[in-house]
């Protein structure tokens, strides 16, 4: 066991505070990682505040982890001490089911999330990256491209893969017309990735002040979603729309923007359900509503390598661990440009 410093939520309405706990002693297949940076995902906030109803306290969020390998177990072959590695949303799965065999561990019924999942090693709950170190099975450790800034690459491990995976699954490429709804952590990565894949990409935002940034990230058009006239001009134009919005909202507006056989893919996971969409928007053009959860380990590595080759990173604002509660409040006001990343040097080791 090794004593580890972190920040935890102890209840849905209490702020995150310093919290010390034990990480397991690394086993033969384990990688012990000193955490350098951890991105702040809106899912961290949903979990800390029990907005999805399944939080076990104390909760230590954080699943966009970049760090240095301190130690590896005897059976580890893929990384060695001193390597720069990443850990995303998953730290284990059953490894035998159909999803695991197809490298889609995120859809495994036995999938273990980086935080707030049962931890078979400790008998408790998994604790995430708002901490100075983590121990992870080698099969769930990613290699970070050497060319990318490490702090700015950390959010690729959730925001990056959560948008990359549906773009690939729905075969987005040159000639595709793609919409991205919401310019936060996920949305700005969706824009950059869809643009890099060759798609004609449009951002829908509630924040007019973000338009110039969206263009810089690769948007061919920016539409202010509160402007009904501007929205109507885009009806029936899109093959594929990714909705990253973290709050409930009307889906019909976006369904009506799809072509025949187009897909609206929901990745945002609000506390309260969206109002049920109109059936008529679906049946007349055989449109589809879908969802997508992060991505498997193989695809996450593919995404990291794609970002390395294209020089794609997140636009970030670095914070100290102690600033996390203020960062959450800004995130709720859509005031993040475009991902907070915690510099873990701000937290003294236990
Ligand atoms: P974020 O940085 O807070 O971005 C969310 C964006 O949604 C905001 O910047 C804002 O964009 C827009 N928005 C917020 N409230 C809105 C409202 N009431 N109406 C319309 N637009 C609103 O959050 P994130 O980290 O990107 O995460 C987004 C969502 O995805 C969260 O629910 C998170 O839990 C979920 N998520 C899902 C997965 C998955 O695997 N499916 C993975 C990671 C995260 P504008 O200012 O541009 O309007
Ligand atoms: Zn996330
Ligand atoms: Zn499985």
């Amino acid at each position: 066991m090794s004593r580890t410093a972190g920040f935890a939520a102890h209840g849905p309405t209490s702020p995150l505070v310093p919290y010390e706990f034990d990480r397991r002693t690394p086993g033969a297949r384990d990688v012990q990682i000193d955490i350098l940076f951890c991105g702040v995902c809106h899912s961290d906030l949903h979990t800390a505040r029990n907005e999805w109803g399944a939080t076990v306290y104390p909760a230590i969020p954080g699943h966009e982890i970049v760090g240095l390998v301190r130690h590896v177990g005897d059976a580890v072959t893929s990384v060695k001490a001193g390597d720069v590695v990443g850990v995303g949303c998953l730290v284990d799965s059953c490894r035998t089911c159909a999803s695991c065999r197809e490298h889609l561990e995120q859809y495994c019924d036995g999938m273990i999330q980086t935080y707030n999942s049962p931890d078979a090693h400790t008998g408790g709950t998994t604790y995430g990256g708002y901490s100075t170190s983590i121990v992870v099975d080698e099969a769930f450790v990613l290699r970070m491209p050497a060319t990318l800034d490490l702090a700015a690459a950390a959010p690729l491990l959730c925001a990056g893969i959560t948008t990359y995976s549906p773009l690939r699954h729905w075969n987005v490429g040159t000639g595709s017309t793609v919409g991205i709804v919401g310019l936060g952590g996920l949305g700005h990565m969706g824009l950059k990735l869809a643009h890099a894949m060759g798609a004609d990409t449009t951002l829908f935002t509630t924040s007019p002040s973000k338009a110039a940034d969206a263009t810089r990230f690769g948007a061919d058009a920016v539409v202010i979603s509160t402007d009904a006239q501007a929205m109507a001009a885009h009806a029936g134009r899109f093959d594929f729309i990714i909705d990253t919005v973290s709050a409930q909202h009307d889906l019909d507006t976006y369904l009506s923007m799809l072509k025949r056989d187009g897909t609206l893919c929901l990745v945002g996971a609000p506390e309260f359900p969206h109002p049920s969409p109109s059936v008529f928007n679906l049946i007349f053009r055989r449109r589809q509503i879908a969802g997508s959860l992060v991505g498997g380990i193989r695809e996450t590595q593919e995404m990291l390598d794609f970002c390395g080759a294209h020089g794609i990173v997140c636009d970030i604002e670095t914070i100290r661990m102690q600033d996390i509660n203020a960062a959450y409040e800004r995130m709720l006001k859509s005031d993040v440009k475009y991902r907070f990343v915690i510099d873990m040097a701000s937290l003294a080791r236990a």
Side-chain angles (χ1 to χ4, degrees):
M1 299 283 222
S2 56
R3 205 71 188 144
T4 301
F7 257 59
H10 291 275
T13 55
S14 49
L16 277 76
V17 291
Y19 179 72
E20 277 190 20
F21 61 99
D22 292 318
R23 291 288 188 195
R24 70 177 184 261
T25 303
R29 284 184 234 286
D30 281 337
V31 180
Q32 184 181 29
I33 301 162
D34 287 336
I35 298 177
L36 297 171
F37 299 105
C38 183
V40 178
C41 178
H42 207 115
S43 302
D44 301 353
L45 188 161
H46 290 307
T47 301
R49 299 187 177 183
N50 197 25
E51 291 178 354
W52 295 332
T55 303
V56 178
Y57 293 102
I60 303 186
H63 57 203
E64 295 181 336
I65 299 166
V66 168
L68 276 177
V69 176
R70 171 185 284 262
H71 172 84
V72 298
D74 292 343
V76 171
T77 56
S78 58
V79 295
K80 58 181 188 317
D83 285 357
V84 180
V85 294
V87 178
C89 304
L90 313 174
V91 290
D92 212 342
S93 69
C94 88
R95 314 201 190 192
T96 56
C97 73
S99 294
C100 285
R101 288 200 308 274
E102 289 174 51
H103 302 280
L104 297 167
E105 301 86 0
Q106 74 273 34
Y107 300 117
C108 169
D109 289 339
M111 173 263 284
I112 304 295
Q113 302 190 65
T114 306
Y115 59 80
N116 202 51
S117 272
D119 186 340
H121 299 274
T122 63
T125 303
T126 54
Y127 291 148
Y130 293 8
S131 59
T132 54
S133 75
I134 191 166
V135 177
V136 179
D137 187 295
E138 145 180 61
F140 289 79
V141 172
L142 287 310
R143 294 178 308 280
M144 298 305 293
T147 49
L148 300 182
D149 177 84
L150 292 182
L156 297 176
L157 291 152
C158 175
I161 185 61
T162 302
T163 46
Y164 182 92
S165 184
L167 289 168
R168 284 290 189 228
H169 183 74
W170 275 275
N171 297 314
V172 164
T174 308
S176 309
T177 315
V178 171
I180 304 285
V181 189
L183 195 66
L186 268 55
H188 93 293
M189 289 317 304
L191 264 190
K192 290 186 185 197
L193 291 166
H195 176 70
M197 290 174 189
D200 181 282
T201 309
T202 296
L203 173 76
F204 297 97
T205 179
T206 60
S207 307
S209 62
K210 295 179 181 174
D213 287 336
T215 304
R216 182 164 58 84
F217 299 150
D220 298 286
V222 179
V223 182
I224 310 305
S225 52
T226 48
D227 178 343
Q229 210 175 340
M231 292 290 278
H234 291 267
R237 210 169 73 75
F238 293 90
D239 298 302
F240 186 59
I241 298 178
I242 301 185
D243 186 334
T244 76
V245 173
S246 52
Q248 64 181 157
H249 62 96
D250 168 46
L251 299 182
D252 282 312
T253 320
Y254 295 105
L255 284 175
S256 65
M257 304 236 169
L258 294 170
K259 294 178 185 168
R260 175 176 51 79
D261 289 320
T263 299
L264 172 64
C265 179
L266 306 178
V267 295
E271 177 179 9
F272 302 108
H274 299 302
S276 180
S278 154
V279 168
F280 297 98
N281 273 328
L282 295 166
I283 61 181
F284 273 94
R285 296 200 191 184
R286 199 165 55 186
R287 293 163 169 143
Q288 303 168 57
I289 300 180
S292 186
L293 179 67
V294 292
I297 296 300
R298 178 190 275 191
E299 193 174 50
T300 303
Q301 189 64 58
E302 178 190 305
M303 176 276 308
L304 288 169
D305 296 342
F306 178 91
C307 290
H310 289 80
I312 296 175
V313 286
C314 307
D315 280 50
I316 62 162
E317 189 177 328
T318 307
I319 61 168
R320 300 177 311 140
M321 186 70 256
Q322 296 76 7
D323 300 331
I324 188 67
N325 298 300
Y328 278 6
E329 292 309 315
R330 281 185 54 195
M331 187 183 257
L332 283 173
K333 292 185 201 138
S334 303
D335 176 27
V336 190
K337 293 202 168 157
Y338 281 88
R339 196 59 138 188
F340 292 119
V341 172
I342 304 160
D343 182 349
M344 216 49 75
S346 59
L347 189 59
R349 290 182 188 280

